[in-house]
Amino acid sequence: LAKTTQPISMDSYEGQEVNITCSHNNIATNDYITWYQQFPSQGPRFIIQGYKTKVTNEVASLFIPADRKSSTLSLPRVSLSDTAVYYCLVGLSGAGSYQLTFGKGTKLSVIP
Amino acid sequence: EAGVTQFPSHSVIEKGQTVTLRCDPISGHDNLYWYRRVMGKEIKFLLHFVKESKQDESGMPNNRFLAERTGGTYSTLKVQPAELEDSGVYFCASSHSMTSGRGYEQFFGPGTRLTVL
Protein backbone atom coordinates (compact mmCIF):
# COMPACT_ATOMS: atom_id res chain seq x y z
CA LEU A 1 0.00 0.00 0.00
CA ALA A 2 1.23 3.48 -0.82
CA LYS A 3 2.85 5.35 2.03
CA THR A 4 1.78 8.91 2.72
CA THR A 5 3.68 11.84 4.16
CA GLN A 6 1.94 14.86 5.62
CA PRO A 7 2.84 17.62 8.09
CA ILE A 8 2.77 16.63 11.72
CA SER A 9 0.90 19.75 12.77
CA MET A 10 -0.43 23.09 11.56
CA ASP A 11 -1.88 26.15 13.22
CA SER A 12 -4.37 28.50 11.65
CA TYR A 13 -6.44 31.49 12.69
CA GLU A 14 -10.20 31.31 12.51
CA GLY A 15 -11.64 32.33 9.17
CA GLN A 16 -8.57 31.43 7.14
CA GLU A 17 -8.35 28.87 4.39
CA VAL A 18 -6.24 25.88 5.37
CA ASN A 19 -4.41 23.70 2.89
CA ILE A 20 -2.91 20.40 4.00
CA THR A 21 -0.67 18.69 1.47
CA CYS A 22 0.01 14.97 1.41
CA SER A 23 2.73 13.22 -0.56
CA HIS A 24 2.15 9.75 -1.96
CA ASN A 25 4.92 9.12 -4.47
CA ASN A 26 4.19 5.42 -4.87
CA ILE A 27 0.47 5.66 -5.48
CA ALA A 28 -0.85 2.86 -7.70
CA THR A 29 -2.97 3.35 -10.78
CA ASN A 30 -6.08 1.99 -9.08
CA ASP A 31 -5.61 3.84 -5.82
CA TYR A 32 -7.94 6.57 -4.65
CA ILE A 33 -7.02 9.38 -2.26
CA THR A 34 -9.19 9.76 0.78
CA TRP A 35 -9.14 12.14 3.73
CA TYR A 36 -10.55 11.48 7.17
CA GLN A 37 -10.96 13.81 10.13
CA GLN A 38 -10.73 12.76 13.76
CA PHE A 39 -11.78 14.71 16.84
CA PRO A 40 -10.51 13.73 20.28
CA SER A 41 -12.30 10.71 21.76
CA GLN A 42 -14.10 10.02 18.51
CA GLY A 43 -13.58 7.71 15.56
CA PRO A 44 -12.33 9.03 12.23
CA ARG A 45 -14.89 10.63 9.94
CA PHE A 46 -14.81 10.57 6.14
CA ILE A 47 -14.31 13.98 4.56
CA ILE A 48 -13.64 13.56 0.86
CA GLN A 49 -12.29 11.18 -1.74
CA GLY A 50 -10.87 11.72 -5.21
CA TYR A 51 -8.93 10.09 -8.00
CA LYS A 52 -7.68 13.02 -10.07
CA THR A 53 -8.12 16.76 -10.68
CA LYS A 54 -10.48 18.41 -8.22
CA VAL A 55 -13.30 17.25 -6.01
CA THR A 56 -15.47 19.55 -3.91
CA ASN A 57 -18.18 18.87 -1.40
CA GLU A 58 -19.90 20.88 1.29
CA VAL A 59 -17.00 20.44 3.68
CA ALA A 60 -13.78 20.61 1.68
CA SER A 61 -12.02 20.54 -1.65
CA LEU A 62 -9.41 18.06 -2.78
CA PHE A 63 -6.85 19.02 -5.38
CA ILE A 64 -4.90 16.29 -7.15
CA PRO A 65 -2.25 17.14 -9.78
CA ALA A 66 -1.91 15.14 -12.95
CA ASP A 67 0.92 12.95 -11.66
CA ARG A 68 -1.15 12.10 -8.54
CA LYS A 69 1.98 11.98 -6.41
CA SER A 70 0.51 14.45 -3.99
CA SER A 71 -2.83 15.90 -3.01
CA THR A 72 -4.04 18.94 -1.09
CA LEU A 73 -7.01 19.09 1.21
CA SER A 74 -8.45 22.59 1.35
CA LEU A 75 -10.71 23.70 4.19
CA PRO A 76 -12.36 27.08 3.51
CA ARG A 77 -12.70 29.54 6.36
CA VAL A 78 -11.90 27.26 9.26
CA SER A 79 -13.55 27.62 12.63
CA LEU A 80 -12.50 26.48 16.09
CA SER A 81 -14.54 23.32 15.59
CA ASP A 82 -12.26 22.27 12.73
CA THR A 83 -9.49 21.59 15.23
CA ALA A 84 -8.78 17.90 14.67
CA VAL A 85 -6.36 15.42 13.19
CA TYR A 86 -6.60 15.02 9.42
CA TYR A 87 -5.50 11.79 7.78
CA CYS A 88 -4.56 11.31 4.16
CA LEU A 89 -5.02 7.74 2.92
CA VAL A 90 -4.38 6.10 -0.41
CA GLY A 91 -5.68 2.76 -1.51
CA LEU A 92 -9.17 1.32 -1.85
CA SER A 93 -8.34 -0.22 -5.16
CA GLY A 94 -11.35 -2.48 -5.00
CA ALA A 95 -9.47 -5.69 -4.37
CA GLY A 96 -12.26 -6.89 -2.12
CA SER A 97 -11.05 -5.64 1.21
CA TYR A 98 -11.25 -1.96 1.78
CA GLN A 99 -8.98 -1.83 4.79
CA LEU A 100 -7.83 1.69 5.54
CA THR A 101 -4.17 2.40 6.22
CA PHE A 102 -3.73 5.36 8.51
CA GLY A 103 -0.55 7.35 8.96
CA LYS A 104 0.21 9.77 11.74
CA GLY A 105 -2.03 12.49 10.33
CA THR A 106 -1.81 16.26 10.59
CA LYS A 107 -2.94 17.87 13.80
CA LEU A 108 -4.69 21.11 12.88
CA SER A 109 -5.16 23.66 15.62
CA VAL A 110 -7.47 26.58 14.88
CA ILE A 111 -6.93 29.55 17.13
CA PRO A 112 -9.14 32.59 17.61
CA GLU B 1 -30.05 7.11 11.18
CA ALA B 2 -28.11 5.92 14.20
CA GLY B 3 -24.38 5.73 13.84
CA VAL B 4 -21.99 2.95 14.72
CA THR B 5 -22.10 2.20 18.41
CA GLN B 6 -19.56 0.42 20.54
CA PHE B 7 -19.72 -1.02 24.01
CA PRO B 8 -18.20 -0.49 26.47
CA SER B 9 -16.65 2.93 26.06
CA HIS B 10 -13.86 2.01 28.44
CA SER B 11 -12.76 -1.27 29.98
CA VAL B 12 -10.06 -1.81 32.57
CA ILE B 13 -8.96 -5.38 33.17
CA GLU B 14 -6.01 -7.23 34.58
CA LYS B 15 -3.52 -9.13 32.52
CA GLY B 16 -4.78 -12.63 31.86
CA GLN B 17 -8.45 -11.74 31.98
CA THR B 18 -10.88 -11.91 29.10
CA VAL B 19 -12.65 -8.96 27.57
CA THR B 20 -15.33 -8.83 24.90
CA LEU B 21 -15.95 -5.70 22.89
CA ARG B 22 -19.15 -5.18 20.97
CA CYS B 23 -19.90 -3.22 17.84
CA ASP B 24 -23.29 -2.42 16.38
CA PRO B 25 -22.89 -1.19 12.81
CA ILE B 26 -25.24 1.09 10.96
CA SER B 27 -28.31 -0.89 10.01
CA GLY B 28 -28.04 -2.38 6.54
CA HIS B 29 -24.28 -2.07 6.27
CA ASP B 30 -22.82 -5.31 4.98
CA ASN B 31 -19.23 -4.40 5.74
CA LEU B 32 -17.89 -4.25 9.25
CA TYR B 33 -14.29 -3.48 10.18
CA TRP B 34 -12.26 -3.56 13.35
CA TYR B 35 -9.24 -1.30 13.87
CA ARG B 36 -7.14 -0.43 16.87
CA ARG B 37 -4.65 2.16 17.98
CA VAL B 38 -2.16 1.18 20.59
CA MET B 39 -0.44 3.92 22.54
CA GLY B 40 1.63 6.22 20.35
CA LYS B 41 1.00 4.28 17.18
CA GLU B 42 -1.18 4.72 14.12
CA ILE B 43 -4.64 3.26 13.72
CA LYS B 44 -4.19 -0.27 12.39
CA PHE B 45 -6.61 -2.52 10.56
CA LEU B 46 -7.56 -5.77 12.28
CA LEU B 47 -10.19 -7.46 10.16
CA HIS B 48 -13.11 -7.06 7.79
CA PHE B 49 -16.47 -8.84 7.71
CA VAL B 50 -18.82 -8.98 4.78
CA LYS B 51 -22.09 -9.87 6.43
CA GLU B 52 -21.19 -12.82 8.65
CA SER B 53 -18.09 -13.92 6.72
CA LYS B 54 -14.53 -12.87 7.44
CA GLN B 55 -13.27 -11.25 4.26
CA ASP B 56 -9.85 -10.26 5.52
CA GLU B 57 -8.31 -10.98 8.90
CA SER B 58 -4.74 -10.20 7.95
CA GLY B 59 -4.42 -7.59 10.67
CA MET B 60 -5.31 -9.79 13.62
CA PRO B 61 -2.21 -9.82 15.83
CA ASN B 62 -2.44 -13.36 17.19
CA ASN B 63 -4.80 -16.13 18.20
CA ARG B 64 -5.72 -14.41 21.45
CA PHE B 65 -8.07 -12.28 19.39
CA LEU B 66 -11.36 -13.73 18.15
CA ALA B 67 -13.91 -11.77 16.17
CA GLU B 68 -17.39 -12.93 15.35
CA ARG B 69 -20.37 -11.55 13.52
CA THR B 70 -23.07 -14.15 13.89
CA GLY B 71 -26.13 -13.33 11.82
CA GLY B 72 -24.33 -10.57 10.02
CA THR B 73 -25.48 -7.84 12.38
CA TYR B 74 -23.45 -6.86 15.44
CA SER B 75 -19.91 -8.05 15.98
CA THR B 76 -17.84 -8.98 18.99
CA LEU B 77 -14.11 -8.93 19.46
CA LYS B 78 -12.83 -11.09 22.29
CA VAL B 79 -9.36 -10.88 23.72
CA GLN B 80 -8.40 -13.93 25.75
CA PRO B 81 -6.16 -13.79 27.67
CA ALA B 82 -5.44 -10.07 27.58
CA GLU B 83 -1.84 -8.87 27.68
CA LEU B 84 -0.42 -5.48 28.57
CA GLU B 85 0.35 -4.68 24.94
CA ASP B 86 -3.32 -5.06 24.04
CA SER B 87 -4.08 -1.73 25.69
CA GLY B 88 -5.34 0.85 23.26
CA VAL B 89 -8.46 2.10 21.53
CA TYR B 90 -10.46 -0.35 19.44
CA PHE B 91 -12.54 1.15 16.67
CA CYS B 92 -15.30 -0.44 14.70
CA ALA B 93 -16.45 0.86 11.34
CA SER B 94 -19.13 -0.13 8.86
CA SER B 95 -19.93 0.66 5.27
CA HIS B 96 -22.41 -0.06 2.52
CA SER B 97 -21.85 -2.97 0.20
CA MET B 98 -19.14 -2.53 -2.41
CA THR B 99 -21.66 -3.06 -5.20
CA SER B 100 -23.68 -0.08 -4.00
CA GLY B 101 -20.92 2.25 -5.10
CA ARG B 102 -20.76 3.72 -1.61
CA GLY B 103 -18.69 1.08 0.11
CA TYR B 104 -15.61 3.25 0.12
CA GLU B 105 -16.87 5.46 2.96
CA GLN B 106 -16.41 3.89 6.35
CA PHE B 107 -18.40 5.15 9.31
CA PHE B 108 -16.53 4.78 12.56
CA GLY B 109 -17.79 4.28 16.05
CA PRO B 110 -16.40 6.24 19.01
CA GLY B 111 -14.10 3.40 20.01
CA THR B 112 -13.59 1.30 23.12
CA ARG B 113 -10.64 2.22 25.26
CA LEU B 114 -9.07 -0.94 26.68
CA THR B 115 -6.65 -0.73 29.54
CA VAL B 116 -4.85 -3.89 30.61
CA LEU B 117 -3.11 -3.64 33.99
Side-chain angles (χ1 to χ4, degrees):
Chain A
L1 294 173
K3 179 180 172 59
T4 60
T5 304
Q6 50 184 126
I8 295 173
S9 67
M10 297 177 72
D11 290 349
S12 174
Y13 289 108
E14 268 192 299
Q16 289 186 327
E17 177 184 77
V18 170
N19 295 308
I20 306 175
T21 297
C22 177
S23 297
H24 27 80
N25 292 317
N26 298 320
I27 189 169
T29 303
N30 293 334
D31 285 341
Y32 282 73
I33 299 154
T34 310
W35 286 79
Y36 277 76
Q37 172 192 57
Q38 186 178 25
F39 299 113
S41 300
Q42 293 186 26
R45 183 174 75 105
F46 174 91
I47 301 176
I48 197 167
Q49 183 183 76
Y51 183 79
K52 62 180 179 180
T53 62
K54 176 184 175 182
V55 180
T56 297
N57 61 23
E58 65 277 7
V59 176
S61 293
L62 179 60
F63 298 91
I64 305 168
D67 66 5
R68 303 200 329 120
K69 293 183 183 299
S70 67
S71 59
T72 299
L73 175 72
S74 180
L75 305 172
R77 299 183 59 79
V78 294
S79 63
L80 297 177
S81 62
D82 292 317
T83 293
V85 178
Y86 292 82
Y87 296 97
C88 166
L89 299 87
V90 295
L92 309 180
S93 57
S97 174
Y98 279 42
Q99 59 168 283
L100 299 178
T101 301
F102 288 86
K104 292 180 169 57
T106 298
K107 185 176 182 180
L108 173 66
S109 298
V110 180
I111 49 183
Chain B
E1 63 182 2
V4 176
T5 57
Q6 295 186 243
F7 180 83
S9 57
H10 190 189
S11 179
V12 182
I13 60 173
E14 291 187 331
K15 175 182 172 181
Q17 290 186 322
T18 297
V19 64
T20 300
L21 313 181
R22 172 170 171 144
C23 168
D24 285 80
I26 293 173
S27 178
H29 280 190
D30 288 347
N31 295 290
L32 188 149
Y33 303 82
W34 283 97
Y35 296 84
R36 76 170 179 177
R37 171 159 55 202
V38 296
M39 187 66 69
K41 301 291 187 181
E42 294 89 33
I43 298 171
K44 295 289 188 184
F45 167 82
L46 295 179
L47 88 160
H48 168 207
F49 283 100
V50 177
K51 297 183 180 179
E52 68 275 9
S53 300
K54 291 177 184 175
Q55 178 76 13
D56 180 357
E57 51 185 330
S58 60
M60 294 288 265
N62 52 62
N63 59 10
R64 295 186 294 104
F65 289 75
L66 175 63
E68 294 180 323
R69 193 184 182 195
T70 306
T73 54
Y74 71 91
S75 175
T76 57
L77 180 64
K78 181 192 292 187
V79 185
Q80 179 182 30
E83 299 289 345
L84 299 179
E85 63 265 25
D86 300 331
S87 294
V89 181
Y90 289 75
F91 293 103
C92 175
S94 70
S95 72
H96 290 285
S97 68
M98 302 309 177
T99 56
S100 72
R102 295 181 293 165
Y104 59 86
E105 179 178 352
Q106 295 186 21
F107 296 82
F108 281 77
T112 293
R113 179 172 297 278
L114 175 64
T115 302
V116 183
L117 303 177

